[in-house]
Amino acid sequence: GGPDGGSLAGGGEAFADRSLSQGLSVLVGLALCVTMLGLGCAVELGQLGQQLRRPVGLLLALLGQFVAMPLLAFLLALIFALDEVAAVAVLLCGCCPGGNLSNLMSVLVDGDMNLSIIMTASSTLLALFLMPLCLWVYSRHWINTALVQLLPLGAVSLTLGSTLLPIGLGVLIRYRHPRAADLLVKISLWSLLVTLVILFILTGTMLGPDLMAHIPASVYTIAVLMPLAGYALGYGLATVFKMPPHCRRTVSLETGCQNVQLCTAILKLTFPPELIGSMYMFPLLYALFQSAEAGLFVLVYKMYGRDSYKQDTLGEEEDTDISYKKLKEEEVAETSYGTVTTEEHNSVQMEPTQTAL
């Protein structure tokens, strides 16, 4: 490992406590199930069929979540010379699919909700095959270290596979009980926030004042830069595809927002706590900064971008109205051509009567 190897593994004793470890495992597992259930409840089969016929959302999810973000995580790990423990945590977060936070933020920036939901669902399903593959490819640089040699790709695949059941159940609930599905979507979003707060409190209490010492500044820097770069990459990707502004904002948020619940669950459920140590905190740090930066994104849009969005929308409505008026005028002109009006018809009837008199 690198020079910080000892400090990165620090805090492992606290995580090794059996009762605390089991409690966290149960909490993380339940939070992941609720999140995936909410994701399934947000998917409508009709929209899914439309996206499969024109799979732009699927392609963007593939490029954003399993090409751009894993490569970004790998490059950041190299640039900041992370050791194998930190590198695995960063790579795991970068290889995760999109998270539910992007759906909420897309609403706040007047994005395309159908595109947002389809991208999140598509990346989650693709993760079953592509996430272990990306981890295997990008961890080759640290292959000679014990942690990477023990990288539990089978356990990662099993954890991903277990998310299919709540997603499928959510899709079924949406199909049969739409109102209940809407309620479960809201519950899943609130559970995301509550779970992150609880995990911060519990892990902070377990690690105590040594937390700052166990996580080097380079890891905090990556937690700040990675979601920010993800948002920029997503916007650039949507620009390359020549998508409208509201879709660009959606793809940007979808690319930068990772499923931190899944990342936390994999770190907690598949790695020995004495090996992963305090780097269990990395997805929580990522969640903190991705939320803060997405909040700034929304704030800037509300202050400067919403007026232009309204003008664009108004312009589209005016163009439609003008086109409609023009069409009606053309219809009137075509109808009046070669026809007799009511007045003309009366005058024609009156003239023979006067002549008869």
Side-chain angles (χ1 to χ4, degrees):
D4 294 322
S7 63
L8 288 173
E13 296 81 1
F15 285 109
D17 182 271
R18 183 175 296 274
S19 59
L20 288 175
S21 180
Q22 290 179 348
L24 278 177
S25 298
V26 171
L27 177 62
V28 168
L30 288 176
L32 182 61
C33 287
V34 173
T35 300
M36 295 297 101
L37 179 64
L39 175 59
C41 287
V43 177
E44 293 186 6
L45 294 178
Q47 296 173 359
L48 189 60
Q50 292 176 3
Q51 290 295 326
L52 290 176
R53 288 191 293 270
R54 189 172 177 270
V56 177
L58 179 65
L59 180 60
L60 289 170
L62 172 65
L63 295 176
Q65 297 296 343
F66 301 108
V67 176
M69 290 304 291
L71 180 59
L72 173 64
F74 175 72
L75 292 177
L76 288 173
L78 289 182
I79 292 171
F80 287 92
L82 299 183
D83 76 347
E84 74 277 8
V85 180
V88 166
V90 171
L91 284 174
L92 189 62
C93 192
C95 295
C96 276
N100 292 40
L101 178 66
S102 59
N103 306 141
L104 175 63
M105 293 300 176
S106 293
V107 174
L108 298 178
V109 296
D110 298 315
D112 188 332
M113 272 305 296
N114 290 336
L115 177 62
S116 177
I117 292 170
I118 289 300
M119 284 188 67
T120 304
S122 299
S123 65
T124 302
L125 296 178
L126 289 171
L128 186 63
F129 308 100
L130 295 181
M131 188 175 175
L133 176 62
C134 289
L135 284 172
W136 182 81
V137 169
Y138 287 108
S139 65
R140 298 298 90 190
H141 182 77
W142 298 273
I143 191 60
N144 293 325
T145 61
L147 185 67
V148 175
Q149 288 177 351
L150 295 173
L151 188 63
L153 295 178
V156 171
S157 299
L158 184 61
T159 304
L160 289 167
S162 67
T163 64
L164 296 180
L165 182 60
I167 291 175
L169 179 60
V171 172
L172 180 62
I173 293 173
R174 165 62 65 181
Y175 179 72
R176 294 192 173 182
H177 308 285
R179 292 186 178 179
D182 292 335
L183 178 61
L184 287 172
V185 169
K186 295 178 181 178
I187 291 174
S188 69
L189 291 174
W190 279 107
S191 71
L192 165 64
L193 301 176
V194 173
T195 302
L196 290 177
V197 171
I198 293 175
L199 287 175
F200 267 116
I201 293 174
L202 288 179
T203 52
T205 302
M206 289 161 57
L207 292 174
D210 296 332
L211 175 62
M212 297 295 292
H214 291 149
I215 302 178
S218 59
V219 174
Y220 283 100
T221 304
I222 291 176
V224 173
L225 293 178
M226 194 167 156
L228 191 62
Y231 295 142
L233 286 171
Y235 198 91
L237 185 63
T239 303
V240 170
F241 277 77
K242 298 181 179 179
M243 304 191 77
H246 71 290
C247 291
R248 294 179 189 179
R249 295 191 294 270
T250 303
V251 176
S252 173
L253 290 168
E254 279 294 327
T255 305
C257 289
Q258 301 296 88
N259 191 336
V260 291
Q261 304 99 304
L262 178 61
C263 184
T264 303
I266 291 174
L267 284 174
K268 186 69 187 67
L269 302 176
T270 62
F271 284 96
E274 61 273 9
L275 289 180
I276 201 66
S278 61
M279 286 313 298
Y280 163 79
M281 285 290 292
F282 180 78
L284 302 180
L285 293 174
Y286 189 96
L288 174 65
F289 290 114
Q290 82 171 5
S291 302
E293 291 165 8
L296 290 176
F297 190 151
V298 173
L299 181 61
V300 170
Y301 172 74
K302 295 292 186 183
M303 294 175 62
Y304 301 104
R306 192 160 192 174
D307 291 337
S308 62
Y309 172 76
K310 289 180 178 179
Q311 289 176 1
D312 292 340
T313 306
L314 182 61
E316 291 176 1
E317 292 176 353
E318 289 177 351
D319 290 342
T320 304
D321 188 49
I322 291 171
S323 302
Y324 175 75
K325 289 179 179 178
K326 184 177 180 181
L327 179 62
K328 292 299 291 181
E329 290 173 358
E330 291 176 353
E331 287 179 356
V332 170
E334 291 174 358
T335 305
S336 62
Y337 179 74
T339 60
V340 180
T341 62
T342 305
E343 293 179 357
E344 291 174 348
H345 182 67
N346 291 336
S347 64
V348 170
Q349 287 182 339
M350 288 176 64
E351 286 178 357
T353 307
Q354 290 176 357
T355 304
L357 290 172

